[in-house]
């Protein structure tokens, strides 16, 4: 089987992290976002993954070379010279996706994190005999999304309603699709939307079916959702493979710590924290609901909550970072300095407090 991952553009919503690496390579739960998807695809027998990308494809491919060998899966790029929306990239990658076997292929949005029930999706797709399957997820606040109106028993999709003003349902497109090759005949090579143009036409032909996603789902393309997604992911890890999580008197709730990280005495860490490779957490540090990326040092008695600390940064002694503070790569945050939602670009030194959410250039 083959799969296409819609990687897209600049990752502006995740700046300043995406100023250092393309968005698919930003770490989530101690590994690049895109690797979560590639591993899930490999696990159900996908042999080739095509990345639809229009920004720094060579950086992404070079990085993924070692995983190509390790996972024994072929990874290639289909590069857009202009943004082609969510359907155009499928037309562009047509020759890479069609091999004459008639087998369906997966399409995934690169920002989506879930338990990836792809095996169940294949079973569902073969069962209904339609042309396309989409995964949907239930949300509390459907008015922010495109809602999928479907027959609850068969899963047949009746219509799509973009950001509905009145309640029509609570199931939204989860950004995971399984498509027959014939779907590519419906897509022209131009900027076009799979959600607004392609799927409604398949639904009108009664050939589009939706499967309700079991387990958690999150689009982690912006910082607040990234931190929420981390909570869901670690929760799911606790149920599936609790041994991977840290345990001991230092830890509260779900905490993921790379084995090469060093943690000092008297720390209190958790809930919902990921600590990456080579990190040093000095004594008396308090961490909660945060992501600490590779090579970060957090000095004595600092406190970090609801924040993302980018690669190789330093947080000073008794410093306090909260309310969606994001430090880009290699930021040095001074002793006893406070940040209330500061967003700091890479390679900066911060010596005075950031009292309200702002971007520090």
């Amino acid at each position: 089987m083959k799969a296409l991952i819609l990687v897209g553009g600049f990752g502006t919503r995740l700046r300043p992290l995406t100023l250092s690496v393309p968005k698919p390579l930003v770490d989530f739960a101690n590994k690049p976002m895109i690797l979560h998807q590639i591993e899930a695809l490999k696990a159900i027998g996908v042999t080739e993954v095509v990345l639809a990308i229009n920004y720094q494809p060579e950086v992404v491919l070079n990085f993924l070379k070692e995983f190509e060998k390790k996972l024994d899966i072929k990874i290639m790029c289909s590069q857009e010279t202009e943004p082609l929306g969510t359907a155009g990239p499928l037309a562009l990658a047509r020759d890479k996706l069609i091999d004459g076997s008639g087998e369906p292929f997966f399409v995934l949005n690169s920002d989506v994190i879930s338990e990836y029930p792809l095996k169940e999706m294949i079973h569902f797709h073969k069962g209904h005999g339609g042309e396309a399957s989409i995964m949907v997820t239930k949300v509390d606040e459907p008015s922010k999304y495109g809602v999928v109106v479907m027959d609850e028993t068969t899963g047949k999709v009746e219509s799509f309603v973009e950001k509905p003003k009145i309640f029509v349902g609570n199931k939204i497109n989860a950004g995971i699709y399984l498509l027959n090759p014939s779907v590519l005949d419906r897509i022209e090579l131009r900027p076009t939307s799979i959600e607004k143009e392609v799927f409604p036409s398949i639904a009108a032909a009664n050939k589009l079916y939706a499967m309700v996603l079991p387990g958690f789902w999150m689009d982690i393309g912006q910082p607040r959702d990234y931190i929420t997604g981390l909570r869901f992911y670690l929760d799911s890890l606790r149920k599936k493979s609790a041994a991977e999580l840290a345990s001991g008197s230092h830890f509260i709730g779900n905490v993921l710590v790379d084995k090469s990280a060093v943690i000092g005495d008297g720390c209190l860490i958790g809930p919902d924290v990921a600590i990456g490779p080579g990190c040093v957490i000095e004594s008396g540090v308090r961490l909660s609901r945060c992501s600490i990326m590779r090579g970060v040092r957090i000095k004595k008695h600092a406190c970090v909550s609801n924040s993302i600390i980018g690669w190789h940064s330093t947080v000073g002694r008794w410093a306090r970072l909260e309310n969606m503070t994001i430090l880009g790569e290699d930021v040095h945050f001074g002793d006893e300095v406070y940040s209330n939602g500061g967003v700091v670009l890479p390679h900066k030194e911060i010596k005075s407090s950031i009292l309200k959410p702002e971007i520090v250039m």
Side-chain angles (χ1 to χ4, degrees), residues 108-310:
L108 286 81
N109 283 349
S110 70
D111 296 353
V112 165
I113 198 88
S114 76
E115 285 169 14
Y116 305 116
L118 305 177
K119 198 178 216 140
E120 295 86 330
M121 197 173 190
I122 295 171
H123 185 71
F124 172 77
H125 185 75
K126 292 193 167 150
H128 65 64
E131 202 174 351
S133 300
I134 66 172
M135 202 81 88
V136 294
T137 186
K138 292 178 185 171
V139 291
D140 298 332
E141 188 58 49
S143 61
K144 296 194 307 194
Y145 303 95
V147 172
V148 179
V149 181
M150 58 188 269
D151 181 310
E152 295 295 329
T153 46
T154 63
K156 186 183 279 187
V157 174
E158 291 158 14
S159 64
F160 283 79
V161 185
E162 198 58 38
K163 298 187 177 163
K165 296 278 184 287
I166 56 165
F167 185 84
V168 291
N170 65 346
K171 294 182 188 70
I172 64 162
N173 174 0
I176 301 171
Y177 320 129
L178 186 55
L179 311 176
N180 286 354
S182 58
V183 170
L184 294 171
D185 299 334
R186 298 174 178 270
I187 304 171
E188 296 170 29
L189 182 51
R190 60 178 175 85
T192 168
S193 162
I194 201 164
E195 302 86 355
K196 293 177 187 165
E197 296 176 57
V198 181
F199 287 155
S201 81
I202 304 174
N206 293 318
K207 290 183 175 176
L208 181 65
Y209 289 79
M211 171 183 157
V212 179
L213 179 83
F216 79 95
W217 175 88
M218 200 72 214
D219 177 331
I220 55 171
Q222 50 195 11
R224 203 168 289 279
D225 295 338
Y226 174 105
I227 292 294
T228 304
L230 184 61
R231 184 178 91 228
F232 292 164
Y233 176 84
L234 295 176
D235 246 359
S236 158
L237 199 57
R238 160 88 49 208
K239 292 180 193 123
K240 286 196 311 201
S241 130
E244 291 183 45
L245 295 170
S247 57
S249 57
H250 283 338
F251 303 107
I252 318 172
N254 299 329
V255 178
L256 186 64
V257 180
D258 186 88
K259 57 182 183 298
S260 63
V262 177
I263 294 179
D265 297 331
C267 292
L268 191 54
I269 296 173
D272 310 320
V273 174
I275 299 173
C279 290
V280 177
I281 312 296
E282 294 185 5
S283 59
V285 165
R286 175 73 179 105
L287 304 176
S288 65
R289 294 180 301 280
C290 61
S291 179
I292 310 294
M293 293 185 181
R294 185 182 59 249
V296 165
R297 176 179 286 266
I298 306 223
K299 295 187 176 174
K300 291 177 183 174
H301 306 293
C303 176
V304 180
S305 68
N306 278 309
S307 297
I308 302 173
I309 311 300

Side-chain angles (χ1 to χ4, degrees), residues 280 282 292-300 302 304 309-317 319 321 327-335 337 348-350:
V280 177
E282 294 185 5
I292 310 294
M293 293 185 181
R294 185 182 59 249
V296 165
R297 176 179 286 266
I298 306 223
K299 295 187 176 174
K300 291 177 183 174
V304 180
I309 311 300
W311 310 269
H312 306 290
S313 291
T314 307
V315 174
R317 293 175 188 186
L321 287 73
L327 304 188
E329 181 185 18
D330 180 41
V331 168
H332 299 284
F333 208 84
D335 293 349
V337 173
K348 302 290 294 178
E349 189 172 358
I350 302 294

Side-chain angles (χ1 to χ4, degrees), residues 22-91:
K23 184 176 61 178
L25 303 186
V26 170
D27 293 320
F28 176 82
N30 293 354
K31 62 180 145 187
M33 277 185 195
I34 201 160
L35 208 52
H36 291 274
Q37 299 187 329
I38 292 172
E39 286 177 352
L41 290 164
K42 169 67 185 175
I44 53 117
V46 168
T47 52
E48 292 183 28
V49 175
V50 181
L51 308 179
I53 191 166
N54 65 11
Y55 178 62
Q56 293 188 318
E58 58 293 328
V59 178
V60 177
L61 274 184
N62 285 341
F63 180 85
L64 290 172
K65 274 281 171 275
E66 65 166 302
F67 296 104
E68 210 175 13
K69 288 193 187 73
K70 206 184 283 182
L71 295 170
D72 186 28
I73 189 168
K74 189 174 177 191
I75 301 172
M76 49 195 160
C77 273
S78 170
Q79 188 181 1
E80 305 163 41
T81 49
E82 59 165 340
L84 289 171
T86 50
L90 278 73

